[in-house]
Amino acid sequence: SNAGDEDHTTKRARMLETKTDYTRWRMRDEGGCHTWHYLEDDEAAKKWPQTYYDKYYLGLPLDLPDLPKAKTPLDAVRNGLEFFEKLQLPSGHWGCEYGGPMFLLPCIVISWYVTKTPIPWYVATEIKNYLFARAHPEDGGWGLHIEGESTVFGTSLNYTVLRIVGVDPDHPVMVKARATLHKLGGATHAPHWAKWWFAVMGVAEWDIVNPVPPELWLLPDWVPFHPWRWWVHIRQVFLPMSYLWSKGWRAEETDLIRSLRKELYVEDYDKIDWAGNRNTINPIDNYHPKTWLLNTINWFLANIWKPYFRVKPLVERAEEWAMKLIEMENENTDHLDLATVSGPMNMVCLYACYGPDSYAVRRHQERSAEFLWVNREGMLANGTNGVQCWDTAFAVQAIMDAGLTEDPRWRPMLLKALKFLDDQQIRDNVKDQEKCYRQQRKGAWAFSNKDQGYAVSDCVSEALKAVIILQKTPGFPTLIDDRRIFDAIDTLLTYQNPNGSCSSYEPPRAGKWMEMLNAAEVFGNIMVEYEYPECTTAVVTALSLFHKHWPDYRAAEIERFIERAVAWIKTAQKPHGGWYGSWGICFTYATMFALESLASIGETYANSEHARRGCEFLISKQREDGGWSEHYKACETGEYHEHPTGSQVVMTAWALIGLMKAQYPHIEPIKKGIRLIMDRQQPNGEWLQEAIEGVFNKSCMISYPNYKFTFTMKALGMFARKYPDVKIYDD
Ligand code: LAN
């Protein structure tokens, strides 16, 4: 069947085109699930015309008329909404590309390849185009994320993707990328996750992969380093990794695989010392070097335990239990899975276990489409299956802050948003919650949608705020009754940590020392849940709002929660006055949330030392032109960095929102920032994409394209309400 495979590969290569016809792409939104479709058939294309949002995502001209130039901030909000309204999807939310990380597309495409999932020519073509467009302009490699410098991780994996979709190794782009890869040491210098994928694919030997023992899942739950205690993303990645490592599974060998064994390495494949290169890594990739403790454990596991003490009955039980956990995740998410790394990995496990025709594999293949996106450059992978609930919550709040929720002009849009949030509230806990180590989630909202169904403290909070605001606005129906609001509150109240703070998906289940076992090398702070100012502040503002409207429900607990959370927020303030952000860049982002939460309990510039220092921090970073421009380096280093390209609208909006929430008393700096945002608005009401906005695990950046609408409009709207008579332009 090798010959058959080769045919398949060459056929694919022949089908790779220069470009697809962008007028044939459509994005389908079915109840908050996104899939892209290419309509090859003219009749079908005619029956399903392109919408504004299709064209906008694809970078096609919208041909919208110019709006009357905004003279006031409120006009600017209205113009922004005119544009943003056109992007609202049928189910009531806003979609967007959610790219940035450059290791996600490889997870999907390699998982397709090793499970022999056919890749249609239009998908292959646009994946190629995206990666070509994103190759580093100087050295032709790829980094950890779109704005980063070339790494072995990014370059070796994306080179492999290009080969899988059919690009010839002699193509100039490939020659250049390969030269960079070789200069960086070749694939032997890749971090753990890449080595794992290469071993699965059969373009590396398993000996080069540091041990990933599934036996850890058999430990009793009280063991302080049991994987159930790890951060949800890491345990969900460790799970399939451990399964295939244990099996030593590898894909069927093909010509492409044989060829990649030559292309990816500096050395002769047959002469590589696989075990000896287990810890080889290029310093560029090595953001979080492994600790002496982990190195010792790895050495022991690889050299003593695996060859001499790994016993078969235990191996089998561990593999069985790991598979059972994967299946529970499948059931809980209908094979979507937590995110774009664990999903593809799980699919390979299911293929290895049940074969190509199993329902689980086919359902995974189907659902992998929900992680893909098409933009003007081509096809990319999103970090999750979307940003649906999160962006919708902020859009509603922006309109509220502008005082426009009662304006009938925007009611249809807001009503659709409310219906979406109503539909997306998670109504039940997962089956066997304890058994699969899940957190209570009844009444919660996920970051993306209910299919994915993972509650996050701040996603619940922001969505709940949006729902309360709308349902308390005259003219809006009560779609979510009190009982369901209380469900959300009950879940939210489970999120507080002993020191008062909140984390992301779950309260921490192990100490920070666990970071000593971080084996991924390319990320920081991944092993356990940490305390996050953004998450803590979001919960505080949500609880404060709820408490105002329902002063009797669990009142004492809520008051106590808020008090302790705020006390923690104060301790998290840095000496310079700002707060470190873990999910947006960086001090500007978290300082906005912190000031907002202080304001929600009545602490502002006039009466709070903390609010005052927060404001002074922001003011000290304002640029000559009135804007702010923090650079992602701040996330990596923990110190404020300026963006070399100057002020950014999103960053400026964050800073202004923080200042206004804190009632910063001087209007001039705020006015200047507002003017910058207004000056950057386009005649059709939109703002253009600027530098990347988000981050995770300290080192990897991720895009939040809707922030340039939601936060700009929020800042403008707040200004308009606060200073209704102040003119921005004198005429
Ligand atoms: C996200 C996206 C949303 C984000 C916020 C809600 C903004 C944040 O306040 C809490 C954390 C959360 C939910 C978050 C966690 C980590 C995610 C899921 C991501 C940044 C999107 C992609 C990232 C995920 C870990 C990517 C896969 C990489 C691994 C290391 C497994």
Side-chain angles (χ1 to χ4, degrees):
S1 85
N2 253 356
D5 264 12
E6 289 333 316
D7 274 345
H8 191 56
T9 316
T10 27
K11 203 155 57 201
R12 234 178 358 229
R14 232 179 287 129
M15 288 180 79
L16 202 54
E17 298 285 342
T18 322
K19 223 180 158 354
T20 61
D21 173 358
Y22 261 43
T23 66
R24 291 178 186 274
W25 284 103
R26 307 284 184 279
M27 212 284 286
R28 174 177 286 149
D29 158 34
E30 270 176 306
C33 297
H34 301 153
T35 46
W36 280 91
H37 302 265
Y38 191 71
L39 308 180
E40 291 187 84
D41 177 64
D42 288 338
E43 268 315 298
K46 237 181 260 147
K47 275 202 212 116
W48 182 3
Q50 263 184 335
T51 56
Y52 280 122
Y53 54 80
D54 288 320
K55 292 184 191 169
Y56 178 74
Y57 300 145
L58 293 164
L60 297 175
L62 300 186
D63 299 322
L64 292 171
D66 288 0
L67 299 166
K69 169 106 185 81
K71 293 208 182 73
T72 67
L74 199 59
D75 288 345
V77 176
R78 290 208 175 94
N79 285 356
L81 287 175
E82 285 289 343
F83 187 86
F84 202 48
E85 187 187 39
K86 299 196 168 59
L87 304 184
Q88 190 176 27
L89 291 163
S91 71
H93 72 284
W94 281 267
C96 64
E97 120 186 28
Y98 190 41
M102 289 304 282
F103 56 96
L104 301 174
L105 197 53
C107 295
I108 294 177
V109 175
I110 297 177
S111 77
W112 284 343
Y113 188 74
V114 302
T115 60
K116 301 189 183 155
T117 306
I119 308 177
W121 71 272
Y122 43 87
V123 169
T125 298
E126 291 309 337
I127 285 177
K128 172 211 58 168
N129 286 340
Y130 180 75
L131 290 179
F132 277 15
R134 282 292 162 184
H136 197 286
E138 274 142 48
D139 61 26
W142 294 270
L144 178 62
H145 58 87
I146 49 175
E147 294 195 12
E149 54 189 350
S150 298
T151 60
V152 181
F153 196 28
T155 308
S156 60
L157 284 173
N158 288 303
Y159 179 92
T160 303
V161 169
L162 285 169
R163 294 288 285 119
I164 291 174
V165 299
V167 183
D168 196 272
D170 297 327
H171 191 291
V173 171
M174 303 300 271
V175 174
K176 194 172 170 191
R178 201 164 56 237
T180 292
L181 174 60
H182 288 185
K183 209 160 77 217
L184 294 171
T188 50
H189 289 59
H192 190 223
W193 291 13
K195 284 172 170 157
W196 182 89
W197 274 116
F198 290 142
V200 167
M201 224 186 136
V203 298
E205 300 301 313
W206 273 106
D207 270 346
I208 201 172
V209 182
N210 266 320
V212 202
E215 283 90 334
L216 284 184
W217 292 104
L218 297 178
L219 292 169
D221 284 351
W222 55 261
V223 173
F225 54 86
H226 190 297
W228 79 273
R229 299 172 183 278
W230 301 355
W231 189 43
V232 63
H233 280 282
I234 282 317
R235 66 174 193 264
Q236 286 295 359
V237 168
F238 177 85
L239 180 64
M241 273 188 135
S242 70
Y243 182 82
L244 291 185
W245 174 85
S246 184
K247 293 254 177 214
W249 188 87
R250 57 159 54 186
E252 193 178 295
E253 196 174 303
T254 60
D255 268 356
L256 173 64
I257 286 170
R258 279 187 287 273
S259 184
L260 278 169
R261 289 180 187 159
K262 296 197 187 92
E263 297 164 40
L264 291 173
Y265 298 96
V266 179
E267 310 86 342
D268 222 351
Y269 191 84
D270 300 320
K271 300 214 178 79
I272 292 175
D273 172 10
W274 298 101
N277 277 299
R278 219 175 265 145
N279 293 307
T280 311
I281 181 162
N282 188 297
I284 278 196
D285 288 73
N286 208 4
Y287 177 76
H288 188 282
K290 296 191 291 302
T291 57
W292 61 268
L293 178 66
L294 182 59
N295 282 327
T296 312
I297 294 172
N298 277 340
W299 182 90
F300 171 79
L301 291 176
N303 297 297
I304 312 287
W305 173 73
K306 186 167 180 251
Y308 305 113
F309 295 99
R310 216 178 160 222
V311 290
K312 203 154 172 235
L314 224 51
V315 171
E316 279 166 3
R317 267 186 53 206
E319 286 172 358
E320 245 166 63
W321 179 225
M323 183 44 71
K324 177 79 193 141
L325 285 169
I326 291 174
E327 286 172 346
M328 289 173 100
E329 165 79 346
N330 283 339
E331 201 183 324
N332 293 334
T333 62
D334 188 6
H335 305 79
L336 193 64
D337 299 350
L338 174 59
T340 323
V341 181
S342 60
M345 285 179 171
N346 284 345
M347 170 158 93
V348 184
C349 294
L350 293 159
Y351 181 91
C353 186
Y354 297 114
D357 299 321
S358 62
Y359 173 77
V361 170
R362 279 187 285 119
R363 186 71 182 134
H364 257 94
Q365 288 169 332
E366 247 166 53
R367 296 217 86 175
S368 63
E370 291 172 47
F371 292 92
L372 296 167
W373 197 263
V374 189
N375 74 5
R376 68 175 72 225
E377 294 168 322
M379 184 178 260
L380 64 137
N382 283 348
T384 57
N385 62 324
V387 192
Q388 294 87 325
C389 292
W390 183 251
D391 277 339
T392 304
F394 282 118
V396 170
Q397 291 181 49
I399 300 168
M400 190 280 291
D401 276 309
L404 295 176
T405 39
E406 289 184 60
D407 185 337
R409 169 68 186 87
W410 310 112
R411 183 161 306 143
M413 169 170 74
L414 288 169
L415 192 57
K416 268 166 81 183
L418 178 60
K419 283 187 179 149
F420 180 74
L421 292 174
D422 166 33
D423 178 52
Q424 290 296 322
Q425 189 185 25
I426 298 166
R427 306 294 280 269
D428 278 305
N429 291 324
V430 299
K431 203 174 123 202
D432 296 327
Q433 176 179 306
E434 272 79 34
K435 212 167 154 200
C436 55
Y437 312 116
R438 289 286 298 269
Q439 160 86 3
Q440 167 177 340
R441 64 169 202 176
K442 187 173 182 186
W445 281 267
F447 175 69
S448 55
N449 60 21
K450 66 179 175 196
D451 280 38
Q452 189 255 13
Y454 275 85
V456 187
S457 65
D458 57 354
C459 300
V460 186
S461 304
E462 300 300 349
L464 183 63
K465 276 193 266 177
V467 166
I468 296 177
I469 288 163
L470 285 181
Q471 296 199 153
K472 294 292 173 191
T473 302
F476 283 89
T478 299
L479 300 180
I480 302 189
D481 61 22
D482 281 5
R483 189 58 253 164
R484 285 169 61 197
I485 301 266
F486 297 160
D487 285 342
I489 292 294
D490 292 347
T491 286
L492 215 43
L493 287 174
T494 66
Y495 271 101
Q496 193 160 41
N497 303 330
N499 68 2
S501 65
C502 297
S503 302
S504 60
Y505 296 81
E506 296 150 351
R509 297 169 172 189
K512 297 189 179 90
W513 61 270
M514 191 76 97
E515 208 57 45
M516 292 187 79
L517 303 184
N518 176 350
E521 298 153 323
V522 290
F523 307 112
N525 283 11
I526 57 167
M527 290 305 291
V528 288
E529 284 277 4
Y530 287 82
E531 300 112 0
Y532 300 115
E534 304 99 302
C535 296
T536 314
T537 56
V539 181
V540 167
T541 48
L543 289 178
S544 303
L545 180 68
F546 169 81
H547 194 50
K548 270 189 210 116
H549 292 284
W550 289 269
D552 300 327
Y553 189 76
R554 297 184 71 175
E557 283 159 278
I558 290 175
E559 277 163 24
R560 179 97 186 95
F561 190 117
I562 294 176
E563 204 177 290
R564 292 174 57 225
V566 171
W568 179 82
I569 291 166
K570 290 177 178 171
T571 65
Q573 190 169 25
K574 301 286 171 200
H576 57 40
W579 281 263
Y580 178 85
S582 296
W583 310 110
I585 300 168
C586 172
F587 293 101
T588 319
Y589 179 72
T591 304
M592 164 183 71
F593 282 108
L595 290 175
E596 179 171 4
S597 71
L598 290 177
S600 82
I601 55 143
E603 292 203 23
T604 57
Y605 190 93
N607 63 9
S608 157
E609 160 77 13
H610 293 277
R612 196 176 53 68
R613 283 179 40 227
C615 290
E616 302 295 321
F617 168 75
L618 289 175
I619 288 294
S620 75
K621 303 298 181 195
Q622 191 174 27
R623 296 173 68 104
E624 215 22 60
D625 63 2
W628 278 261
S629 61
E630 196 174 352
H631 186 260
Y632 71 74
K633 279 258 167 310
C635 308
E636 297 172 348
T637 62
E639 265 157 51
Y640 195 94
H641 278 263
E642 289 289 343
H643 203 288
T645 65
S647 296
Q648 315 285 323
V649 281
V650 172
M651 198 69 69
T652 303
W654 288 343
L656 294 174
I657 293 167
L659 290 169
M660 286 188 280
K661 289 274 178 193
Q663 313 288 351
Y664 184 69
H666 311 294
I667 188 177
E668 272 319 307
I670 299 179
K671 245 176 91 176
K672 242 176 128 179
I674 291 290
R675 190 175 317 135
L676 181 128
I677 294 177
M678 287 176 71
D679 287 345
R680 297 235 181 135
Q681 190 173 29
Q682 305 299 302
N684 62 7
E686 72 172 316
W687 283 271
L688 302 179
Q689 184 61 37
E690 299 176 345
I692 201 157
E693 303 88 352
V695 61
F696 57 90
N697 302 122
K698 288 180 169 247
S699 58
C700 193
M701 305 307 133
I702 188 158
S703 313
Y704 286 83
N706 283 326
Y707 283 0
K708 62 181 174 283
F709 296 104
T710 51
F711 286 105
T712 47
M713 292 193 292
K714 177 168 172 144
L716 294 168
M718 281 175 67
F719 186 91
R721 270 179 78 179
K722 202 162 172 301
Y723 309 103
D725 303 321
V726 173
K727 280 193 170 166
I728 296 298
Y729 300 111
D730 19 51
D731 48 5

